[in-house]
Amino acid sequence: MGNGISFSCKVTNRTNSRLPGIGAKKSGARFLKDDVDLLNSVVAASALAIDRIKLQEELILEQLEAKRLEELNEMKSFFMHTITHELKTPLTSIKLFTEKLQDKKHFDSDRADFFLNVIDGESDKLRRLIDNILDYARIEKGMKTYIQKTINLNRVVNKAVESMKYQFMISKQTIEVSTLSDDIIINADEDAVERAITNLLTNASSILRLKVKRFCLSEK
């Protein structure tokens, strides 16, 4: 088991004045065969103890690795369950309202426009979800790149709010955007900023059950 430690010494006439690696006794007395046997026993016991410690370390590392893999599997299962649900919701709505459009007997042009708005809105939700998943994968692999440039934050916010109108509509909510400046210029990645704002608005719509949400921008 492992690399053992051994100690050996040739004893002549049951005594020896020096032992290899140890030297002579401080008292000057000679080593007896019993001394050598005792040293061999101590060395063997020490080697066994070291092997046991190494084995325990290996077992602990194996247990930690097994626990880590179990946690990763649980996270993966939770992620897959969540993503499956989030993907299924807009796809179900798209299919439902597409079927309603195909059944031309039971709706007028106004209802047809509403159905098309729903399909368009659910498609945007699906696109945002897929974009977020791809972004997370790139970030995790260290492959995410950002293009820094001068952008107008007001314009980016208005674009994000426009893309979220459908979600606020089906939640029977309205959003108000107020700015303290006509132009707020920053240096950032436009797509990343827009995605961050849409994620913020999505969370606000889901968590805060307010009918009116106000989004305020300032240069601070």
Short mmCIF file of all heavy atoms in Angstrom, two decimals, residues 159-195:
data_model
loop_
_atom_site.label_atom_id
_atom_site.label_comp_id
_atom_site.label_asym_id
_atom_site.label_seq_id
_atom_site.Cartn_x
_atom_site.Cartn_y
_atom_site.Cartn_z
N LYS A 159 -35.64 51.39 -27.00
CA LYS A 159 -35.67 50.19 -27.83
C LYS A 159 -36.04 48.96 -26.99
O LYS A 159 -36.85 48.12 -27.41
CB LYS A 159 -34.32 50.00 -28.50
CG LYS A 159 -34.27 48.83 -29.48
CD LYS A 159 -32.88 48.74 -30.12
CE LYS A 159 -32.79 47.53 -31.05
NZ LYS A 159 -31.42 47.41 -31.64
N ALA A 160 -35.46 48.88 -25.80
CA ALA A 160 -35.76 47.75 -24.91
C ALA A 160 -37.21 47.78 -24.45
O ALA A 160 -37.88 46.76 -24.42
CB ALA A 160 -34.81 47.77 -23.71
N VAL A 161 -37.68 48.97 -24.10
CA VAL A 161 -39.08 49.11 -23.66
C VAL A 161 -40.03 48.75 -24.77
O VAL A 161 -41.06 48.09 -24.56
CB VAL A 161 -39.33 50.55 -23.16
CG1 VAL A 161 -40.82 50.78 -22.93
CG2 VAL A 161 -38.55 50.81 -21.89
N GLU A 162 -39.71 49.15 -26.00
CA GLU A 162 -40.56 48.83 -27.15
C GLU A 162 -40.67 47.32 -27.34
O GLU A 162 -41.75 46.79 -27.64
CB GLU A 162 -39.98 49.48 -28.41
CG GLU A 162 -40.81 49.29 -29.67
CD GLU A 162 -42.14 50.01 -29.62
OE1 GLU A 162 -42.25 51.00 -28.87
OE2 GLU A 162 -43.08 49.57 -30.32
N SER A 163 -39.55 46.61 -27.14
CA SER A 163 -39.57 45.16 -27.32
C SER A 163 -40.33 44.46 -26.20
O SER A 163 -40.71 43.30 -26.33
CB SER A 163 -38.14 44.62 -27.39
OG SER A 163 -37.50 44.73 -26.13
N MET A 164 -40.55 45.18 -25.07
CA MET A 164 -41.23 44.58 -23.92
C MET A 164 -42.70 44.96 -23.84
O MET A 164 -43.40 44.55 -22.91
CB MET A 164 -40.52 45.03 -22.64
CG MET A 164 -39.13 44.44 -22.46
SD MET A 164 -39.18 42.67 -22.16
CE MET A 164 -40.07 42.61 -20.62
N LYS A 165 -43.19 45.72 -24.79
CA LYS A 165 -44.57 46.19 -24.72
C LYS A 165 -45.57 45.04 -24.64
O LYS A 165 -46.55 45.09 -23.90
CB LYS A 165 -44.89 47.07 -25.94
CG LYS A 165 -44.47 48.52 -25.77
CD LYS A 165 -44.98 49.36 -26.93
CE LYS A 165 -44.66 50.84 -26.68
NZ LYS A 165 -45.14 51.69 -27.81
N TYR A 166 -45.29 43.99 -25.40
CA TYR A 166 -46.21 42.85 -25.41
C TYR A 166 -46.29 42.21 -24.02
O TYR A 166 -47.40 41.91 -23.54
CB TYR A 166 -45.75 41.81 -26.43
CG TYR A 166 -46.45 40.49 -26.27
CD1 TYR A 166 -47.76 40.31 -26.68
CD2 TYR A 166 -45.80 39.41 -25.67
CE1 TYR A 166 -48.41 39.10 -26.52
CE2 TYR A 166 -46.44 38.19 -25.51
CZ TYR A 166 -47.74 38.04 -25.93
OH TYR A 166 -48.38 36.84 -25.75
N GLN A 167 -45.16 42.03 -23.37
CA GLN A 167 -45.18 41.38 -22.07
C GLN A 167 -45.93 42.21 -21.05
O GLN A 167 -46.68 41.67 -20.22
CB GLN A 167 -43.74 41.12 -21.57
CG GLN A 167 -43.69 40.38 -20.24
CD GLN A 167 -42.33 39.78 -19.97
OE1 GLN A 167 -41.57 39.49 -20.89
NE2 GLN A 167 -42.02 39.60 -18.70
N PHE A 168 -45.76 43.53 -21.10
CA PHE A 168 -46.51 44.39 -20.18
C PHE A 168 -47.99 44.40 -20.53
O PHE A 168 -48.85 44.52 -19.65
CB PHE A 168 -45.94 45.81 -20.20
CG PHE A 168 -44.67 45.95 -19.41
CD1 PHE A 168 -43.44 45.97 -20.04
CD2 PHE A 168 -44.71 46.07 -18.03
CE1 PHE A 168 -42.27 46.08 -19.32
CE2 PHE A 168 -43.54 46.19 -17.30
CZ PHE A 168 -42.32 46.19 -17.94
N MET A 169 -48.31 44.26 -21.81
CA MET A 169 -49.71 44.25 -22.24
C MET A 169 -50.43 43.03 -21.68
O MET A 169 -51.52 43.13 -21.12
CB MET A 169 -49.80 44.27 -23.76
CG MET A 169 -51.24 44.23 -24.28
SD MET A 169 -51.33 43.88 -26.06
CE MET A 169 -50.86 42.13 -26.08
N ILE A 170 -49.82 41.84 -21.83
CA ILE A 170 -50.50 40.63 -21.37
C ILE A 170 -50.54 40.57 -19.84
O ILE A 170 -51.37 39.86 -19.26
CB ILE A 170 -49.82 39.36 -21.91
CG1 ILE A 170 -48.36 39.26 -21.44
CG2 ILE A 170 -49.89 39.31 -23.42
CD1 ILE A 170 -47.69 37.96 -21.85
N SER A 171 -49.65 41.34 -19.17
CA SER A 171 -49.68 41.41 -17.71
C SER A 171 -50.61 42.52 -17.23
O SER A 171 -50.72 42.76 -16.02
CB SER A 171 -48.27 41.65 -17.16
OG SER A 171 -47.39 40.62 -17.52
N LYS A 172 -51.22 43.22 -18.18
CA LYS A 172 -52.12 44.33 -17.88
C LYS A 172 -51.39 45.39 -17.07
O LYS A 172 -51.89 45.91 -16.07
CB LYS A 172 -53.38 43.85 -17.15
CG LYS A 172 -54.23 42.91 -17.99
CD LYS A 172 -55.48 42.47 -17.25
CE LYS A 172 -56.32 41.54 -18.11
NZ LYS A 172 -57.54 41.07 -17.42
N GLN A 173 -50.19 45.70 -17.54
CA GLN A 173 -49.37 46.71 -16.89
C GLN A 173 -48.95 47.74 -17.93
O GLN A 173 -48.96 47.47 -19.12
CB GLN A 173 -48.11 46.06 -16.27
CG GLN A 173 -48.40 45.02 -15.21
CD GLN A 173 -47.17 44.22 -14.85
OE1 GLN A 173 -46.31 43.97 -15.69
NE2 GLN A 173 -47.07 43.82 -13.59
N THR A 174 -48.59 48.91 -17.43
CA THR A 174 -48.04 49.94 -18.31
C THR A 174 -46.69 50.38 -17.75
O THR A 174 -46.43 50.26 -16.55
CB THR A 174 -48.96 51.17 -18.41
OG1 THR A 174 -49.18 51.70 -17.09
CG2 THR A 174 -50.29 50.79 -19.04
N ILE A 175 -45.83 50.88 -18.61
CA ILE A 175 -44.51 51.33 -18.18
C ILE A 175 -44.30 52.76 -18.63
O ILE A 175 -44.67 53.13 -19.75
CB ILE A 175 -43.40 50.41 -18.73
CG1 ILE A 175 -42.03 50.89 -18.25
CG2 ILE A 175 -43.44 50.33 -20.25
CD1 ILE A 175 -40.91 49.93 -18.53
N GLU A 176 -43.76 53.56 -17.75
CA GLU A 176 -43.45 54.95 -18.06
C GLU A 176 -41.94 55.16 -17.94
O GLU A 176 -41.32 54.76 -16.96
CB GLU A 176 -44.18 55.89 -17.09
CG GLU A 176 -45.70 55.80 -17.19
CD GLU A 176 -46.38 56.69 -16.16
OE1 GLU A 176 -45.65 57.33 -15.36
OE2 GLU A 176 -47.62 56.73 -16.14
N VAL A 177 -41.37 55.81 -18.96
CA VAL A 177 -39.94 56.09 -18.96
C VAL A 177 -39.75 57.60 -18.86
O VAL A 177 -40.29 58.35 -19.67
CB VAL A 177 -39.26 55.56 -20.24
CG1 VAL A 177 -37.78 55.89 -20.22
CG2 VAL A 177 -39.47 54.06 -20.37
N SER A 178 -39.01 58.03 -17.85
CA SER A 178 -38.73 59.46 -17.71
C SER A 178 -37.22 59.65 -17.71
O SER A 178 -36.48 58.89 -17.08
CB SER A 178 -39.33 60.00 -16.41
OG SER A 178 -38.79 59.33 -15.29
N THR A 179 -36.77 60.65 -18.42
CA THR A 179 -35.33 60.94 -18.50
C THR A 179 -35.07 62.37 -18.04
O THR A 179 -35.88 63.27 -18.27
CB THR A 179 -34.82 60.78 -19.94
OG1 THR A 179 -35.55 61.67 -20.80
CG2 THR A 179 -35.01 59.35 -20.43
N LEU A 180 -33.96 62.53 -17.36
CA LEU A 180 -33.58 63.85 -16.87
C LEU A 180 -32.74 64.62 -17.89
O LEU A 180 -32.45 65.78 -17.70
CB LEU A 180 -32.81 63.72 -15.55
CG LEU A 180 -33.57 63.00 -14.42
CD1 LEU A 180 -32.71 62.95 -13.15
CD2 LEU A 180 -34.89 63.68 -14.14
N SER A 181 -32.36 63.94 -18.97
CA SER A 181 -31.58 64.58 -20.03
C SER A 181 -32.06 64.05 -21.37
O SER A 181 -32.53 62.90 -21.47
CB SER A 181 -30.08 64.30 -19.87
OG SER A 181 -29.61 64.73 -18.62
N ASP A 182 -31.95 64.86 -22.39
CA ASP A 182 -32.35 64.41 -23.73
C ASP A 182 -31.43 63.31 -24.22
O ASP A 182 -31.88 62.35 -24.85
CB ASP A 182 -32.33 65.59 -24.70
CG ASP A 182 -33.41 66.62 -24.38
OD1 ASP A 182 -34.42 66.22 -23.76
OD2 ASP A 182 -33.23 67.80 -24.74
N ASP A 183 -30.16 63.44 -23.93
CA ASP A 183 -29.18 62.45 -24.36
C ASP A 183 -28.29 62.06 -23.18
O ASP A 183 -27.74 62.92 -22.50
CB ASP A 183 -28.30 62.99 -25.50
CG ASP A 183 -29.11 63.24 -26.76
OD1 ASP A 183 -29.93 62.38 -27.11
OD2 ASP A 183 -28.90 64.30 -27.39
N ILE A 184 -28.17 60.78 -22.96
CA ILE A 184 -27.24 60.26 -21.96
C ILE A 184 -26.25 59.39 -22.71
O ILE A 184 -26.57 58.29 -23.17
CB ILE A 184 -27.97 59.45 -20.88
CG1 ILE A 184 -29.00 60.33 -20.16
CG2 ILE A 184 -26.97 58.86 -19.88
CD1 ILE A 184 -29.79 59.60 -19.09
N ILE A 185 -25.05 59.90 -22.88
CA ILE A 185 -24.04 59.22 -23.70
C ILE A 185 -23.11 58.41 -22.79
O ILE A 185 -22.57 58.94 -21.81
CB ILE A 185 -23.22 60.24 -24.52
CG1 ILE A 185 -24.18 61.14 -25.34
CG2 ILE A 185 -22.25 59.52 -25.43
CD1 ILE A 185 -25.07 60.38 -26.29
N ILE A 186 -22.95 57.15 -23.12
CA ILE A 186 -22.04 56.29 -22.36
C ILE A 186 -21.20 55.47 -23.33
O ILE A 186 -21.51 55.39 -24.53
CB ILE A 186 -22.80 55.33 -21.42
CG1 ILE A 186 -23.69 54.37 -22.23
CG2 ILE A 186 -23.63 56.11 -20.40
CD1 ILE A 186 -24.34 53.29 -21.39
N ASN A 187 -20.16 54.87 -22.81
CA ASN A 187 -19.32 53.99 -23.60
C ASN A 187 -19.57 52.55 -23.13
O ASN A 187 -19.21 52.19 -22.01
CB ASN A 187 -17.84 54.36 -23.44
CG ASN A 187 -16.94 53.58 -24.39
OD1 ASN A 187 -17.19 53.55 -25.58
ND2 ASN A 187 -15.91 52.94 -23.87
N ALA A 188 -20.22 51.74 -23.97
CA ALA A 188 -20.58 50.39 -23.56
C ALA A 188 -20.94 49.55 -24.78
O ALA A 188 -20.99 50.05 -25.91
CB ALA A 188 -21.76 50.43 -22.58
N ASP A 189 -21.17 48.25 -24.53
CA ASP A 189 -21.64 47.35 -25.57
C ASP A 189 -23.15 47.49 -25.67
O ASP A 189 -23.88 47.19 -24.72
CB ASP A 189 -21.26 45.90 -25.23
CG ASP A 189 -21.65 44.92 -26.31
OD1 ASP A 189 -22.87 44.68 -26.49
OD2 ASP A 189 -20.75 44.38 -26.97
N GLU A 190 -23.64 47.95 -26.81
CA GLU A 190 -25.06 48.27 -26.95
C GLU A 190 -25.95 47.05 -26.75
O GLU A 190 -26.97 47.12 -26.05
CB GLU A 190 -25.34 48.89 -28.33
CG GLU A 190 -26.78 49.32 -28.53
CD GLU A 190 -26.99 50.10 -29.81
OE1 GLU A 190 -25.98 50.45 -30.46
OE2 GLU A 190 -28.16 50.38 -30.15
N ASP A 191 -25.60 45.92 -27.36
CA ASP A 191 -26.42 44.71 -27.22
C ASP A 191 -26.47 44.24 -25.77
O ASP A 191 -27.52 43.82 -25.28
CB ASP A 191 -25.87 43.59 -28.11
CG ASP A 191 -26.07 43.88 -29.59
OD1 ASP A 191 -26.97 44.69 -29.91
OD2 ASP A 191 -25.34 43.31 -30.42
N ALA A 192 -25.32 44.30 -25.08
CA ALA A 192 -25.28 43.86 -23.68
C ALA A 192 -26.13 44.76 -22.79
O ALA A 192 -26.85 44.28 -21.90
CB ALA A 192 -23.84 43.83 -23.18
N VAL A 193 -26.08 46.07 -23.03
CA VAL A 193 -26.88 47.01 -22.24
C VAL A 193 -28.37 46.78 -22.50
O VAL A 193 -29.18 46.74 -21.56
CB VAL A 193 -26.50 48.46 -22.58
CG1 VAL A 193 -27.46 49.44 -21.90
CG2 VAL A 193 -25.07 48.75 -22.14
N GLU A 194 -28.74 46.61 -23.76
CA GLU A 194 -30.15 46.38 -24.08
C GLU A 194 -30.66 45.09 -23.44
O GLU A 194 -31.77 45.03 -22.90
CB GLU A 194 -30.34 46.32 -25.60
CG GLU A 194 -31.80 46.11 -26.00
CD GLU A 194 -31.99 45.99 -27.50
OE1 GLU A 194 -31.01 46.26 -28.24
OE2 GLU A 194 -33.11 45.62 -27.93
N ARG A 195 -29.82 44.03 -23.48
CA ARG A 195 -30.24 42.76 -22.89
C ARG A 195 -30.37 42.88 -21.37
O ARG A 195 -31.28 42.31 -20.77
CB ARG A 195 -29.24 41.67 -23.25
CG ARG A 195 -29.69 40.26 -22.91
CD ARG A 195 -28.96 39.22 -23.71
NE ARG A 195 -29.25 39.36 -25.13
CZ ARG A 195 -28.33 39.42 -26.09
NH1 ARG A 195 -27.05 39.33 -25.78
NH2 ARG A 195 -28.67 39.54 -27.35
#
